[in-house]
Amino acid sequence: MRTQVAIIGAGPAGLLLGQLLFKAGIDNVIVERQTSEYVLGRIRAGVLEQVMVELMDECGVGARMHREGLVHEGIELLFKGARHRIDFPSLTHGKTVMVYGQTEVTRDLMEARAAAGLATVYDVGDTVSLHDFEGTAPKLRYRKDGQSHEIECDFIAGCDGFHGASRASVPKGAIREYEKIYPFGWLGLLADVPPVFHELIYAHTERGFALCSMRSATRSRYYVQVPLEEKVENWSDEAFWNELRRRLDPEARERLVTGPSLEKSIAPLRSFVAEPMRFGRLCLAGDAAHIVPPTGAKGLNLAASDVKYLASGLIEHYRERSSVGLDHYSDRALRRIWKAERFSWWFTMLMHKFPGDFDRKVQEAELDYLVHSNAASTALAENYVGLRL
Ligand code: APR
Ligand code: PHB
């Protein structure tokens, strides 16, 4: 098989890139480890920056997002038993975010790709290998149904997430990795119950962090900070709901509607960046190159901005025979990535329970300053809605 761009990974980054390249008339193939059902079964975050909303529209897949997505104009910070609202439009000249599950984003992109008859090879397992990407004729090899396959291409896009084959294929001396592991996890629960509030509530409490989020007016997503060694099997639904209640203010506690969990899992928190993001004809995008703690809801949005930069570089290569966009891809993407890494790290360090009373008192002072200073609230709001590309 021959294509112009071979994409590894059918998550949001790979599917978005495939759609943008297709719209620009650039041939591409996606090779995915899992089945499409498995990919759609993943529960991930659900807050889209304007950049991501515009990218979905540019890909021609924004209709359901606009129909079913929820436009949010603010978030609430809960600390010392009281809630304080951060209003986005007044602090960011009218910007908002869109609450629309990543699962739905992935579904919309998958359906558009299938409708366009584009080549997506699912369920190849861990058989993908990358070859000759330091030259000008890279190749992908993979196995499926007992058969070996090779894809000759001009470029390989490594959109295969944190545990993928792409970054692992780069010679150790050619890549630098920066990492911070947080000493706790997020126990998350998804349930078909109405959200406790129409906007997200980020709670800083003596028992630890909690987040009240949602997927729609009838489906809610909740998280509580738990120690790293916690096991999800130790948490019944009832135990989760009781712990969440203990981290809410009286009004939210009163309004909370509970129900059986559709999904319950514990995710560790990590900050990670690999530099650079381009190695000859291999470019990394999305979680393959960086990870953020979910506190700032930046993971999906960073994948989107990487893909926007990468797609424009590839389109420029084919349309104008210019390598300027690709030559600047890594530096350009990393400038935005590190700002989102900083924001996600800052918000995580501010909202979570760490050992030591001094740190807690400093967190409470910063929260008090944050909600009473227009400058500090603006800094939070403009990072949350997304910095410009
Ligand atoms: N071969 C082929 N596909 C692979 C391989 C491999 N060796 N390894 C991983 N994959 C696939 C995964 O199965 C997954 O479907 O690559 C895809 C990577 O998708 P994501 O992990 O979702 O990463 P990305 O597309 O960059 O999206 C980032 O997803 O995980 C969330 O929080 C993250 O919101 C962020 C978003
Ligand atoms: C979610 O809805 O899953 C979610 C929302 C906001 C976050 C993290 C997760 O910061």
Side-chain angles (χ1 to χ4, degrees):
M1 187 192 295
R2 165 138 189 89
T3 188
Q4 289 174 298
V5 181
I7 300 170
I8 310 176
L15 289 165
L16 270 172
L17 180 62
Q19 202 59 21
L20 285 176
L21 295 178
F22 163 64
K23 290 289 206 188
I26 297 171
D27 188 49
N28 65 88
V29 175
I30 294 181
V31 182
E32 163 60 47
R33 170 164 67 183
Q34 309 287 0
T35 63
S36 56
E37 296 76 15
Y38 184 96
V39 174
L40 283 173
R42 292 187 187 119
I43 303 298
R44 292 283 195 274
V47 175
L48 277 54
E49 293 176 359
Q50 200 52 40
V51 166
M52 179 64 190
V53 170
E54 287 162 6
L55 209 47
M56 292 287 281
D57 288 335
E58 191 179 336
C59 289
V61 297
R64 190 163 72 100
M65 172 189 67
H66 289 294
R67 206 169 48 244
E68 298 177 12
L70 305 171
V71 175
H72 278 212
E73 297 194 352
I75 55 171
E76 301 240 318
L77 298 180
L78 164 57
F79 62 97
K80 296 181 86 171
R83 286 180 18 204
H84 305 261
R85 187 163 182 277
I86 301 291
D87 181 76
F88 296 150
S90 61
L91 294 168
T92 63
H93 310 297
K95 284 190 175 182
T96 58
V97 293
M98 171 79 80
V99 170
Y100 187 65
Q102 179 171 312
T103 306
E104 307 319 315
V105 165
T106 306
R107 191 191 316 279
D108 294 339
L109 286 162
M110 275 185 183
E111 287 174 359
R113 186 168 181 87
L118 301 180
T120 311
V121 186
Y122 284 101
D123 201 16
V124 305
D126 279 321
T127 66
V128 171
S129 58
L130 293 77
H131 305 271
D132 308 330
F133 52 82
E134 292 300 349
T136 57
K139 297 177 187 66
L140 266 199
R141 292 192 187 117
Y142 66 92
R143 286 183 62 78
K144 171 128 179 153
D145 303 331
Q147 295 287 316
S148 294
H149 300 267
E150 180 173 281
I151 302 177
E152 293 178 357
C153 53
D154 301 329
F155 294 94
I156 298 174
C159 301
D160 47 350
F162 184 69
H163 301 289
S166 302
R167 193 179 73 250
S169 303
V170 174
K172 285 282 167 276
I175 196 165
R176 289 179 306 285
E177 298 184 349
Y178 304 85
E179 185 169 56
K180 178 181 181 65
I181 307 283
Y182 298 89
F184 41 75
W186 278 19
L187 167 60
L189 180 144
L190 186 72
D192 275 338
V193 294
V196 70
F197 191 63
H198 68 282
E199 292 177 331
L200 273 59
I201 302 173
Y202 288 79
H204 173 281
T205 82
E206 296 211 351
R207 297 183 65 82
F209 172 78
L211 171 59
C212 302
S213 183
M214 63 197 77
R215 291 290 175 273
S216 70
T218 58
R219 177 166 288 192
S220 298
R221 179 74 169 158
Y222 291 106
Y223 299 94
V224 294
Q225 172 187 350
V226 292
L228 258 186
E229 56 279 1
E230 264 304 346
K231 297 278 177 276
V232 67
E233 46 271 18
N234 297 339
W235 284 84
S236 67
D237 288 3
E238 187 187 6
F240 180 91
W241 294 122
N242 288 337
E243 185 56 41
L244 177 65
R245 277 196 193 88
R246 299 177 73 170
R247 302 190 188 188
L248 294 177
D249 59 287
E251 184 205 334
R253 197 175 301 136
E254 182 60 33
R255 292 168 55 98
L256 181 66
V257 177
T258 65
S261 59
L262 300 171
E263 189 267 356
K264 200 163 45 183
S265 55
I266 294 180
L269 273 68
R270 169 200 323 265
S271 296
F272 173 87
V273 180
E275 291 187 359
M277 292 168 61
R278 180 192 177 192
F279 309 88
R281 291 297 179 100
L282 166 64
C283 291
L284 305 180
D287 274 17
H290 44 75
I291 295 288
V292 283
T295 322
K298 289 298 166 203
L300 175 58
N301 295 298
L302 276 182
S305 45
D306 289 354
V307 163
K308 180 72 182 159
Y309 295 140
L310 179 55
S312 64
L314 288 166
I315 292 165
E316 194 182 273
H317 168 86
Y318 285 107
R319 279 201 185 142
E320 298 159 37
R321 292 271 165 253
S322 158
S323 68
V324 171
L326 284 173
D327 292 346
H328 290 87
Y329 164 64
S330 181
D331 288 346
R332 203 174 167 207
L334 284 166
R335 279 196 68 220
R336 194 169 197 273
I337 288 160
W338 274 111
K339 288 176 186 162
E341 289 281 348
R342 181 212 65 82
F343 170 68
S344 305
W345 160 83
W346 167 80
F347 204 18
T348 301
M349 298 303 288
L350 176 64
M351 296 304 290
H352 289 78
K353 181 181 176 65
F354 290 86
D357 287 338
F358 181 83
D359 287 2
R360 178 173 55 78
K361 295 297 282 183
V362 167
Q363 287 175 331
E364 288 174 358
E366 179 160 11
L367 283 161
D368 186 27
Y369 167 63
L370 182 61
V371 299
H372 293 104
S373 156
N374 196 59
S377 297
T378 300
L380 168 54
E382 67 179 12
N383 278 280
Y384 195 94
V385 301
L387 302 176
R388 59 181 168 71
L389 277 178

